[in-house]
Amino acid sequence: MSWIDERVDMNVYTQGDIDRWVYSTCNICSVGCGCHIAVKDNKIVGIRGNAAHPINRGRLGPKGENQWYANNSTDRLLTPLVRNASGELEPATWDEAMSLIVRKTKETLAQKGANSVAIYSTGQGHLEDYYTIGKIGRAGLHTHLLDANTRLCTATTEFCLLQSFGADGTPASYDDVDETDVLMLFGHNLAETGTVLFERVLQRKKRTGKPYLIVVDPRLTPTAKEADLHLQLYPGTNVPLLNGLIRMIVKAGRIDEAFIRNYTIGYDAMLASVEEWTPEKSAEATGIPLAQLEAAAEALGQTSRLVTTTLQGTFQSADATTACVDINNLHLIRGLIGKPGCGPLHMAGQPSSSANRTVGGVGTYPAHRNPQNPKHLQEMARLWNVEERVLPAGPEKGIEDQLSLIEQGKVGLFWNIGTNPLVSLPNRTRVKKALESVFVVVQDPFLTETAAVADVILPAALWGEKEGTMENADRTINLLRKAVDPPEGVRSDFDILLDFARRMDFRDKDGRPLIGYDSPEACFEEWKAVSRGRPCDMSGITYDKLERHNGLRWPVTEEAPLGTPRLYADLRFRTEADDAQSYTKDQFTGRPLTASEYAELKPDGRAILHPTRYSPPPEQPTASYPFWLTTGRLVWHWHTRTKTARSPYLQAIAPNAYAEINEEDAEALSLLPGELVRISSPRGWIEVPANIGNAVQKGLIFVPFHYGSWDGHQAANELTADFVDPLSKQPTFKQSACKIEKIRHSHALTREDTLQTVADHYRIRLDDLLKANRLKADHAVQAGQTLEIPISAANVTLPAYRPYLKQV
Amino acid sequence: MAELTIIFEALWANAIKIERTIGEADNPLAKLCLTVLREQKQQLERLLPKLADEGSILTSGKQALSIVYHDDELIDSYFRSWLRHLKWSEDPFLPEAERLLTVLEETKSRLTEAASLLEDRYGYDAVKYVIPAFYMPIHH
Ligand code: SF4
C-alpha cells in the first residue's frame, strides 16, 4: 500500500471522555474512508479516522471530518408531514402518512398500470436499502421506473463497463493506483472530490516520483496544478482527444497485438472510427497544443503500468459513455488491464452509488443480471419465489425520461428518497413543474428544497443512526454500525421500506410476505444468495468479517475469501451471452442490441472494442449566449449541502455561490473582482459574485452547483440544459451556453462631483470606479456623463484545502 | 394480419415524413434522431414483407420488430430534446418541428395498437422480451 504511516484525523466536540467509539465508514464521497463515531450520552459528538483501514489509514478529509454536525442539527425533521387541503405541510403520524402513501400507490396502479410509480433514490444510502427498493420495485410494484441520483453520478461508469467488459465492476482498484507508473485523471478533480485518495497519490509521488500524473480538465483545478501534464481541453471534446491519442498510439505501433487478437473483438471497426482524428485535427478540436498531445501519447504509449480514472468531467458530458469506452479501448489495445498497476478505474461520486448499481436498486437486475435475458429473469423469479411473468423486462428509464413520462401524464406517484432533485437536476424550472403535477413523497432527514413539491414528507435517519453496508468506488464493501438511535419520531430508510411492503401486502407466489427479512443483516444474507455465482459474488462476506478486515472488495467467495483487488486477472471478460449483464447498446445511438444481434458479435468472453464516433454537445456558445457554462463541486461542500451546510465550519468557509470567470473575459467586460453579475442561459438566470482568475479558460464560466436555496438566485441548475448522454442517460451538466451581464447602478455626474466623491458616495474604491468605467486616474469629469456603479462586491476567495502539502 | 400491415405501412410513411422534414439539420440531437429514424425505416422495410406470413411474425420478424420499437423510444427522447434546443435557440424551424410531434405521437399510438394486437394473438409471454413495456396495455 502507498500509505507508509497512519495519521488519525479527529474532530470531536464534547466535554470529558466520550462513552464509546463505534465502527463506521465515511458517508460523504466514494473513496470509502474507514472511521469511528464518537458517542456520548447517546449522541454523536465526533468522528476519527480508522487507523487500521487500508483505504485511509486514519485520514479524513474536511467533509468527512465535519459530517456529524448534521446529526445534531436543530432543524431535523422529527415527524412526517402531509400537505393539507390549503396546500400547507402539517405534522402527521407515521400511520397517517404511510396509509396515505399506500392508498395513493394503489390508486395510481389501478388507474395507470404498473409503470406509473417511480422510486428515485440515492447514492448515499445502504446496500440493503437499495436491494429492498429493487425487490419492492420489481417484484412488488412491477415498475421500470427505478432510478436514483446515481444517474448524475455513476451511470456512465456502469454503461461503459457493460459495453466493454460485459458487466459492471470497475476493473482496477486503489491498489493499482498505488502501483501504477502513469495515472491519468480524466475529468476527475480528485483533489476536491476525493481528498484522501488524492493525498495518498501525492504522498507516494513525493516519496518515489511516481506516478507520472496526467490530468485532463478544461479548468486549472487544484488537481491539475499538481499534474506533470495538464491537458486543458475545450469543453465537450473528450472524445476528439482520446480518439486522437489512440490513433497516435496505434500509428506508433505501441499496441499489444497478441492481447488484441486473443482477448478482444472489434479492433478494425474501432480503428476505423479514430482514423479521421489526426493529431492536427485533434489539436484543433481540443485546443491542446500538438506538443502536449505528443507528450501524452508518448507517456500513454510507453508505459507498462497505466491506471485511468474518470469522474463527472467525463460522465456529465455529451460524449460521456463514448469517452469512457475510448478509455477502455486504450487499455485494451495496450493490454493494460487485469494486472498490477493497470486498468480503468471509472469512479463513483457518492459513498454507495456503486452499491445501488450492484444490487439493482437502479438500472439492471440485482447482481449484474440482464433485464433483457429471460434466463436471468427466471433466475430472479426463483430466488424471489415469484412468477417470472410479473418481473418487468427491458432497459430501465433514467430520470430525464421519467420526467418526460410525468409530463405526458403517465406517472402518478414519485417517491424521492435521500436526494434533492430540485437543486441537483438540470433545468430545475422544468423539474419543478413536472413534479408539481404528480403525488410526491420525499424521504429525507431535512426539509430540503424538494419539499416545495412534496405531498408527504417522511423523516429519515442519518448516518450513524442505522446499520448497513456501502460499496465504494473500487468495489470495497464497507460496514457501518449503528452508533445511536435515530431521534424520536425518525425512522431508517430500511424500516420505512419494510413498513411500506407490509402495508402493500406484497407476497411471493406461495402467499408469504415478499420481504421476509426484518433487519439489514438478514437482508444482506438474502442478498448474498442472490449474488452467488455472479460477478459481484459476496457469498463470502459477513458483517463481522467486514469489520475484522476493514472492508472487502467483491467478489468475495470461498476461493477468494479476502476479496479481489482487480478484475479480469484471468483475462476472461463477462461477455458470454448468458453471463453478460447487457446485450450492449449501439455505441452512437444508444439503442439496445437484441439478443441475436449480440450473439452475432460472438464476444464469448472477450472484451469488446467499440467504434467511438464523436457527437458534440447539442448546446454550444452562440452570439446571444457566448460563453460555455460548466458546473461542479467545491472541496468544502457535498452536493446540495443538505449535510455540509449544517457544519458551521464548512458553511463559514464557503457560504455562497460564485462564478469563476477568466481574467481576460473579466477585463473585456471591465468586471471587478467579487462584483455581482448576472449569468443567464435560455433556461434562467442567477446573480452571483465574479471570481476572476485563471482557473477557467477564456470563454468558460464555472458555477458550483451546491447552492440551490429558493431564497437566493444562486442555483446553477437554473441555467443548465437537460440533455443527456445517449448511452448512460447522464445529464450533460458540463456543457451549456450562457452570458454574463453586469448589474450596475448608473450615476449621472453633476458639476459638483469628482470621481472621489462619487466613489465615496457609493463606498467603493476610486480604483474600482475607474476600472469599472475604463477611466484613467486623470480623467476629467464632465457633467452629464454617466458612470456605472457596481451594485456590490464580495470576497470570493476560498482557502485552499491541501493538507498533503504540509504533510509531504 | 392485414391490420398489422396497415399499421406498419403507416409507420414507414411517418418515418419518411419525419426524415424529409428534419432533412440535413446539423444539430447533434437531430443527427442522432435521424440516424435512429433511418434504422427504424430500414427495419420496417425488412418487417413489412414478413407480415404476409401471420403465423411466424414473432420468429421471422422478431428482431426487426424489437428494433422498430426500441428505435421509437429513442426517437421520441431525442426529438423532444431537440425541440427544447430549437426553442432555446429561437430557431425559425421550431414551428415545423413542433408539427412533427403530432406525427411522432401518431407513430407511438400505432405502435401501442400493434403491441396490443400482437399480445392478443400470441400472448404476453411471447412479446415480453420483444416489445418494450411502455407500449404494452397497462394491465401489465
Ligand atoms: S475522502 Fe471521501 S470518504 Fe474519505 S473522508 Fe473525505 S469525504 Fe469521507
Side-chain angles (χ1 to χ4, degrees):
Chain A
M1 81 174 55
S2 133
W3 297 122
I4 49 167
D5 57 0
E6 59 189 45
R7 182 191 77 214
V8 178
D9 293 332
M10 182 158 25
N11 177 13
V12 177
Y13 187 76
T14 186
Q15 290 186 333
D17 292 338
I18 60 143
D19 297 338
R20 60 183 183 278
W21 289 105
V22 178
Y23 188 92
S24 191
T25 306
C26 176
N27 187 226
I28 300 285
C29 89
S30 69
V31 172
C33 297
C35 65
H36 294 103
I37 300 174
V39 178
K40 188 176 172 71
D41 300 332
N42 201 32
K43 204 174 142 196
I44 295 177
V45 293
I47 187 171
R48 74 170 184 211
N50 176 355
H53 202 293
I55 287 178
N56 57 319
R57 298 287 309 279
R59 288 157 183 84
L60 295 172
K63 296 180 283 282
E65 270 182 356
N66 288 283
Q67 66 191 295
W68 61 272
Y69 288 98
N71 289 69
N72 301 323
S73 185
T74 50
D75 62 348
R76 288 281 300 267
L77 287 169
L78 299 174
T79 178
L81 301 170
V82 171
R83 201 170 289 282
N84 64 21
S86 42
E88 272 144 25
L89 288 166
E90 62 180 20
T93 64
W94 274 97
D95 188 49
E96 286 164 345
M98 293 305 292
S99 302
L100 178 58
I101 294 169
V102 167
R103 181 162 61 79
K104 284 287 176 185
T105 305
K106 287 181 176 168
E107 275 173 23
T108 303
L109 292 172
Q111 284 163 13
K112 295 178 187 277
N115 286 309
S116 59
V117 176
I119 303 181
Y120 182 61
S121 70
T122 176
Q124 307 190 36
H126 290 173
L127 176 148
E128 295 77 2
D129 307 333
Y130 306 141
Y131 175 74
T132 306
I133 288 171
K135 191 169 182 183
I136 287 176
R138 292 189 162 94
L141 296 167
H142 312 148
T143 183
H144 275 88
L145 305 183
L146 299 181
D147 202 28
N149 63 11
T150 55
R151 186 69 56 185
L152 327 176
C153 170
T154 63
T156 307
T157 290
E158 175 173 8
F159 283 91
C160 81
L161 295 170
L162 265 54
Q163 287 294 100
S164 301
F165 310 122
D168 198 350
T170 203
S173 71
Y174 301 162
D175 292 10
D176 297 307
V177 172
D178 292 343
E179 294 182 54
T180 194
D181 293 340
V182 176
L183 176 64
M184 177 156 70
L185 301 174
F186 204 104
H188 184 189
N189 181 7
L190 186 58
E192 296 202 82
T193 57
T195 50
V196 172
L197 183 59
F198 195 56
E199 187 180 341
R200 179 165 157 173
V201 171
L202 288 198
Q203 197 191 70
R204 172 174 170 241
K205 188 166 170 59
K206 184 77 181 175
R207 208 171 62 243
T208 66
K210 288 182 178 175
Y212 181 79
L213 197 58
I214 302 176
V215 173
V216 181
D217 203 306
R219 295 169 63 218
L220 181 59
T221 59
T223 314
K225 284 181 183 158
E226 304 293 338
D228 295 294
L229 180 61
H230 175 204
L231 302 176
Q232 191 167 13
L233 72 185
Y234 294 146
T237 60
N238 292 332
V239 165
L241 169 62
L242 286 158
N243 281 354
L245 289 174
I246 286 181
R247 186 182 181 279
M248 289 163 88
I249 288 166
V250 172
K251 297 279 174 205
R254 292 197 169 126
I255 55 172
D256 185 337
E257 285 175 12
F259 187 97
I260 294 170
R261 203 167 44 247
N262 295 328
Y263 303 113
T264 70
I265 60 163
Y267 180 69
D268 292 342
M270 185 282 295
L271 194 59
S273 74
V274 302
E275 192 49 41
E276 64 177 295
W277 292 99
T278 61
E280 294 71 24
K281 183 172 171 177
S282 182
E284 195 192 334
T286 60
I288 298 170
L290 209 51
Q292 284 191 12
L293 283 181
E294 281 161 1
E298 184 71 13
L300 297 167
Q302 288 267 21
T303 186
S304 57
R305 286 175 183 236
L306 168 69
V307 170
T308 309
T309 70
T310 52
L311 197 65
Q312 315 303 19
T314 328
F315 302 163
Q316 296 177 347
S317 294
D319 56 3
T321 309
T322 299
C324 291
V325 161
D326 239 326
I327 286 165
N328 297 340
N329 289 350
L330 169 65
H331 279 265
L332 289 166
I333 62 169
R334 297 229 50 239
L336 300 179
I337 190 167
K339 52 190 184 188
C342 290
L345 174 46
H346 300 292
M347 297 281 295
Q350 302 177 82
S352 63
S353 47
S354 308
N356 210 343
R357 296 179 350 236
T358 301
V359 301
V362 290
T364 61
Y365 267 79
H368 303 155
R369 286 183 173 88
N370 180 356
Q372 285 177 284
N373 185 338
K375 288 188 185 150
H376 286 195
L377 264 65
Q378 282 153 16
E379 222 171 27
M380 281 316 305
R382 181 180 54 73
L383 287 159
W384 283 345
N385 195 34
V386 296
E387 299 289 350
E388 184 260 322
R389 72 187 333 257
V390 305
L391 296 178
E396 77 299 335
K397 290 280 180 199
I399 183 65
E400 292 299 327
D401 282 337
Q402 289 193 17
L403 289 172
S404 184
L405 290 168
I406 291 172
E407 287 166 341
Q408 293 168 49
K410 301 208 165 133
V411 178
L413 190 143
F414 185 86
W415 190 338
N416 180 85
I417 301 177
T419 183
N420 191 6
L422 286 190
V423 181
S424 56
L425 285 179
N427 188 9
R428 78 163 172 175
T429 313
R430 175 187 174 212
V431 183
K432 183 161 187 273
K433 195 165 164 226
L435 292 185
E436 278 166 351
S437 69
V438 282
F439 188 84
V440 176
V441 179
V442 171
Q443 189 166 312
D444 203 280
F446 296 100
L447 211 55
T448 63
E449 286 79 2
T450 303
V453 294
D455 294 286
V456 178
I457 297 182
L458 302 175
L462 271 165
W463 166 85
E465 298 165 356
K466 53 190 180 176
E467 186 164 57
T469 57
M470 300 195 299
E471 180 185 335
N472 79 341
D474 84 338
R475 293 177 284 105
T476 302
I477 303 296
N478 273 313
L479 180 70
L480 301 90
R481 295 279 187 202
K482 179 172 161 181
V484 297
D485 289 327
E488 182 73 32
V490 171
R491 293 184 185 174
S492 70
D493 293 321
F494 184 79
D495 287 341
I496 295 169
L497 291 164
L498 260 53
D499 186 26
F500 174 71
R502 254 189 315 268
R503 288 169 186 264
M504 288 294 294
D505 200 25
F506 292 136
R507 296 197 172 260
D508 69 12
K509 67 181 181 191
D510 294 327
R512 288 191 295 263
L514 179 69
I515 307 291
Y517 46 80
D518 58 4
S519 71
E521 193 164 2
C523 170
F524 191 84
E525 289 300 313
E526 178 175 312
W527 152 250
K528 278 162 63 177
V530 169
S531 76
R532 188 181 287 278
R534 297 297 302 151
C536 55
D537 192 331
M538 295 188 202
S539 55
I541 294 183
T542 64
Y543 272 22
D544 285 343
K545 197 170 158 189
L546 287 178
E547 183 168 344
R548 244 184 358 264
H549 293 281
N550 289 304
L552 294 165
R553 274 175 297 229
W554 62 254
V556 187
T557 59
E558 263 174 41
E559 300 75 48
L562 294 182
T564 310
R566 74 189 55 79
L567 299 179
Y568 310 125
D570 59 357
L571 302 179
R572 273 307 282 177
F573 298 92
R574 309 296 301 228
T575 52
E576 298 273 2
D578 276 335
D579 186 27
Q581 188 179 351
S582 156
Y583 295 138
T584 71
K585 294 182 178 181
D586 180 281
Q587 189 60 47
F588 182 66
T589 66
R591 200 259 298 159
L593 266 53
T594 63
S596 38
E597 283 176 301
Y598 186 74
E600 276 164 31
L601 293 176
K602 297 196 180 66
D604 304 332
R606 289 170 293 173
I608 305 173
L609 292 161
H610 288 273
T612 48
R613 180 173 161 194
Y614 177 50
S615 187
E619 183 169 287
Q620 305 202 15
T622 59
S624 310
Y625 296 96
F627 288 89
W628 281 109
L629 171 80
T630 189
T631 68
R633 296 170 166 139
L634 304 177
V635 70
W636 305 109
H637 281 300
W638 190 248
H639 285 195
T640 65
R641 293 182 307 132
T642 308
K643 285 197 279 191
T644 51
R646 287 173 171 85
S647 151
Y649 173 70
L650 299 175
Q651 182 60 7
I653 290 181
N656 292 306
Y658 56 77
E660 274 177 12
I661 299 171
N662 181 271
E663 49 208 11
E664 283 184 51
D665 291 326
E667 177 70 29
L669 291 160
S670 65
L671 290 179
L672 301 180
E675 176 179 355
L676 193 71
V677 291
R678 175 179 283 221
I679 312 283
S680 34
S681 79
R683 272 77 51 193
W685 55 271
I686 59 171
E687 288 180 353
V688 290
N691 189 347
I692 298 167
N694 66 352
V696 286
Q697 55 186 266
K698 198 165 174 289
L700 175 65
I701 309 286
F702 167 81
V703 180
F705 74 87
H706 306 297
Y707 304 88
S709 164
W710 295 114
D711 297 336
H713 287 284
Q714 301 199 330
N717 283 320
E718 294 279 352
L719 307 175
T720 45
D722 46 0
F723 302 131
V724 296
D725 163 50
L727 271 83
S728 65
K729 309 289 179 192
Q730 179 133 332
T732 59
F733 293 99
K734 301 297 186 198
Q735 295 115 26
S736 306
C738 72
K739 67 181 173 190
I740 313 171
E741 292 161 284
K742 291 178 275 192
I743 312 169
R744 291 181 172 176
H745 298 302
S746 54
H747 177 96
L749 289 168
T750 64
R751 274 201 205 100
E752 290 74 39
D753 281 333
T754 66
L755 291 173
Q756 187 64 56
T757 59
V758 174
D760 291 346
H761 178 75
Y762 290 103
R763 298 182 181 190
I764 61 170
R765 295 186 318 136
L766 178 59
D767 279 357
D768 287 345
L769 182 67
L770 294 171
K771 194 172 172 204
N773 289 279
R774 298 178 182 285
L775 301 176
K776 298 230 161 60
D778 58 356
H779 179 78
V781 170
Q782 290 178 345
Q785 184 189 354
T786 303
L787 293 184
E788 289 185 358
I789 315 291
I791 205 159
S792 69
N795 180 5
V796 285
T797 313
L798 298 187
Y801 174 77
R802 292 199 283 177
Y804 48 85
L805 290 184
K806 280 185 258 154
Q807 252 257 318
V808 294
Chain B
M1 250 329 126
E3 283 163 290
L4 283 175
T5 304
I6 292 167
I7 289 172
F8 286 104
E9 274 174 350
L11 295 182
W12 184 82
N14 281 356
I16 300 270
K17 207 182 295 175
I18 299 167
E19 187 185 3
R20 278 203 194 121
T21 315
I22 298 181
E24 294 308 310
D26 67 352
N27 181 270
L29 290 164
K31 279 190 183 159
L32 273 165
C33 203
L34 269 177
T35 309
V36 184
L37 191 81
R38 284 176 182 145
E39 179 182 72
Q40 188 187 48
K41 200 179 74 179
Q42 194 185 48
Q43 293 299 328
L44 283 165
E45 283 159 6
R46 282 190 194 159
L47 184 65
L48 281 166
K50 291 179 177 148
L51 285 168
D53 180 5
E54 179 177 336
S56 65
I57 193 61
L58 278 176
T59 46
S60 65
K62 183 175 168 182
Q63 169 141 318
L65 205 53
S66 183
I67 295 174
V68 165
Y69 274 96
H70 284 100
D71 279 345
D72 187 65
E73 286 197 305
L74 289 178
I75 292 164
D76 188 77
S77 170
Y78 295 142
F79 188 83
R80 286 176 196 274
S81 297
W82 185 49
L83 272 189
R84 292 202 295 281
H85 170 77
L86 292 174
K87 202 157 133 201
W88 291 331
S89 51
E90 296 175 5
D91 194 301
F93 189 68
L94 178 66
E96 206 168 332
E98 271 172 339
R99 278 194 289 278
L100 279 185
L101 200 53
T102 326
V103 183
L104 280 177
E105 275 160 5
E106 192 208 305
T107 293
K108 184 157 193 110
S109 84
R110 285 186 179 270
L111 281 169
T112 306
E113 197 188 331
S116 188
L117 285 172
L118 287 163
E119 191 205 335
D120 280 352
R121 288 181 196 172
Y122 302 107
Y124 174 67
D125 294 336
V127 294
K128 177 173 177 180
Y129 295 93
V130 181
I131 300 175
F134 289 85
Y135 295 85
M136 302 295 285
I138 64 164
H139 58 265
H140 298 303

